[in-house]
Amino acid sequence: FKNSVHNAASGHFSIAFSNRSPSTTLSAGENLIAAGLVEAWGLLAQREGEVLLVFSEESVPESLPGHSLRTLTGVAFHLRATPPAGPRVTLSNLRRGEPLGARLDPPRVRSRCADAAPWLEALTSPTHGTFALPDDGAPWLVDFNPER
């Protein structure tokens, strides 16, 4: 039971690294990446400093009806209120976009962490632009500007 709660990974990390900083664990279904970004954005606006934003997902046993199979995946972002020297990407203008209408059912095998792909592409892009993070209804839009 001790590892079955959704904040267990955060607790293990805090214990292993003697980290006494606050942590938040979200369970946002298909809106995981957007919810994580909104939470991190709010934390940085409130107290500045740094945020380690980690997404992870494990496979769901086939014996649980109504759940799709997922692969073990994870991705992490180190976000700062004040950018460091050197290459970086500035994120700005977090906002809601136009509703997308009906969404397709997710594939049987996929990872919600894969929804971070537009973000990863934006962070490695040589040009500025806007990326959308999936959400039920209207997506979250974020402008990005690489500074090399």
Side-chain angles (χ1 to χ4, degrees):
F1 175 78
K2 69 179 183 176
N3 290 325
S4 66
V5 294
H6 74 281
N7 63 344
S10 176
H12 288 301
F13 176 87
S14 295
I15 292 167
F17 292 96
S18 300
N19 182 351
R20 295 185 181 266
S21 298
S23 69
T24 303
T25 305
L26 302 174
S27 179
E30 296 297 323
N31 307 318
L32 178 65
I33 304 299
L37 179 60
V38 170
E39 178 70 14
W41 201 287
L43 289 170
L44 289 171
Q46 177 187 17
R47 59 181 175 90
E48 301 210 350
E50 302 173 83
V51 171
L52 179 61
L53 182 57
V54 179
F55 301 100
S56 67
E57 188 164 40
E58 295 182 24
S59 60
V60 177
E62 288 187 53
S63 60
L64 293 176
H67 294 277
S68 43
L69 296 174
R70 304 210 189 293
T71 56
L72 176 62
T73 55
V75 62
F77 299 94
H78 179 198
L79 306 173
R80 302 172 110 180
T82 306
R88 62 185 173 269
V89 176
T90 302
L91 303 177
S92 61
N93 197 20
L94 176 67
R95 65 200 180 277
R96 284 290 200 166
E98 294 296 319
L100 297 175
R103 292 185 60 183
L104 299 175
D105 289 333
R108 176 111 171 103
V109 178
R110 84 181 269 281
S111 169
R112 290 184 181 119
C113 291
D115 290 339
W119 197 358
L120 291 170
E121 289 175 23
L123 295 176
T124 59
S125 171
T127 60
H128 70 281
T130 300
F131 65 91
L133 294 168
D135 197 353
D136 291 336
W140 286 96
L141 303 176
V142 180
D143 295 335
F144 64 93
N145 185 27
E147 300 170 21
R148 308 278 188 254

